[in-house]
Amino acid sequence: MKPSWHPVITEGKSLKFEPDVTLASRLDLSRAYTIDLTRSLRRLAFKNVRRTNAVVDSEYNSGEWDRVLNQRAWLGAPTLEEFLIGQNSASRLAKVDGRIVWVTTRDYYQYRIRALSELIKLHAGSSTSLLELGAGYGYNLFSLSLDPHWNRLRGFDIAPNGIAAGRQIASHFQLGDRISFDRIDLTDARDPSFSELAGGTVFTYFCIEQIPYAVEAVIENIIRARPARVVNIEPGVDMLKLSQPRDFTSRIYIRSMDYQTRLFKLLDSLDVQRRIRVLARERMGFAPTLHNDGAFVCVGASLIKEAGGQRV
């Protein structure tokens, strides 16, 4: 039997949730940075990861999204909110409101629901609908659905297991009228799903990081699709201060994973060329781990529409 709870009319309690946190000590941070840095250096030395399509598929479509699809954890959750938050009460070091703190995993992910919606609302203009590129099984979209502000959420991904899981979750929680999923290959300029971006508000969340050798092509494809606004939440190494241990550790982690490192410089150059207009740029105020603290949000890239080759 499907639950009677429906976020279309019921606001998620997480939108008012304040997590119980303890500020991390210098010793805590020193130990954590040392461990993280050691792992990254070992990865560089012995694995030399190259983020190819096969690697991304094994980590996500055949890995994480396959696990989500087969476990079907949403079937045992009384509400969508409980499914998203999970049952893990172990403490972790995470970034909450710009501070590195100790927080339970459950509290962090409950806090994240509010933090993500506030971040996107701040930079999405007047839009009440969103399209996510690289949505996976829709964790971000389902989180956003707990905020009644968002009345239409659409996710695109290349991974069939992610799409299948997202559709099943939406159906289970009776969200088919608000959340939908479809396939897109961001590297293929001819993909028909690009037509749906026209005039819309689009966001990415650690999606472009997975295609470091196709960044320019993907951005060109998005520009060509003419969305009204794009919010890119991705690694931004140009904003790191390498004299700070946290940032240095993050930079080595990003390099060891072979994530993209040039997106924001590319957007800056397109802004200079007056092909796009970068509206804002800021550092993420929340992250689940220390090495994800190396990820930032470049907000905006309000795409300039052209008519007859002229800026309008």
Side-chain angles (χ1 to χ4, degrees), residues 59-229:
E59 290 183 2
Y60 291 94
N61 183 59
S62 302
E64 184 68 11
W65 304 158
D66 181 68
R67 180 189 62 79
V68 170
L69 181 60
N70 283 289
Q71 289 184 353
R72 289 175 166 78
W74 60 86
L75 297 179
T79 65
L80 172 63
E81 197 161 9
E82 286 297 319
F83 166 64
L84 295 171
I85 295 169
Q87 299 301 318
N88 189 347
S89 58
S91 292
R92 66 193 299 147
L93 281 172
K95 190 176 186 181
V96 173
D97 293 337
R99 303 180 301 164
I100 303 300
V101 300
W102 286 105
V103 60
T104 66
T105 298
R106 179 179 170 84
D107 273 11
Y108 172 78
Y109 282 103
Q110 186 166 4
Y111 151 81
R112 183 190 183 277
I113 291 171
R114 169 175 59 83
L116 178 65
S117 189
E118 288 179 351
L119 175 66
I120 300 295
K121 278 195 292 189
L122 182 62
H123 300 291
S126 60
S127 178
T128 58
S129 64
L130 295 171
L131 302 99
E132 182 180 10
L133 303 179
Y137 70 91
Y139 187 90
N140 289 325
L141 298 178
F142 290 117
S143 295
L144 291 167
S145 76
L146 295 170
D147 187 340
H149 174 83
W150 306 109
N151 58 38
R152 182 176 181 271
L153 300 160
R154 186 141 167 77
F156 295 92
D157 206 283
I158 196 172
N161 285 332
I163 295 169
R167 287 173 173 171
Q168 289 187 30
I169 296 167
S171 175
H172 178 72
F173 290 108
Q174 304 179 53
L175 287 166
D177 59 335
R178 291 181 67 203
I179 304 178
S180 59
F181 296 87
D182 216 326
R183 184 187 184 279
I184 195 170
D185 181 351
L186 293 175
T187 66
D188 182 1
R190 297 170 297 179
D191 193 300
S193 289
F194 275 114
S195 64
E196 295 196 40
L197 274 58
T201 299
V202 176
F203 79 99
T204 69
Y205 194 95
F206 299 98
C207 161
I208 297 177
E209 73 168 8
Q210 299 292 335
I211 43 176
Y213 306 105
V215 174
E216 288 80 6
V218 168
I219 295 303
E220 284 295 332
N221 292 342
I222 294 173
I223 291 175
R224 195 176 296 115
R226 295 185 176 182
R229 183 170 297 198

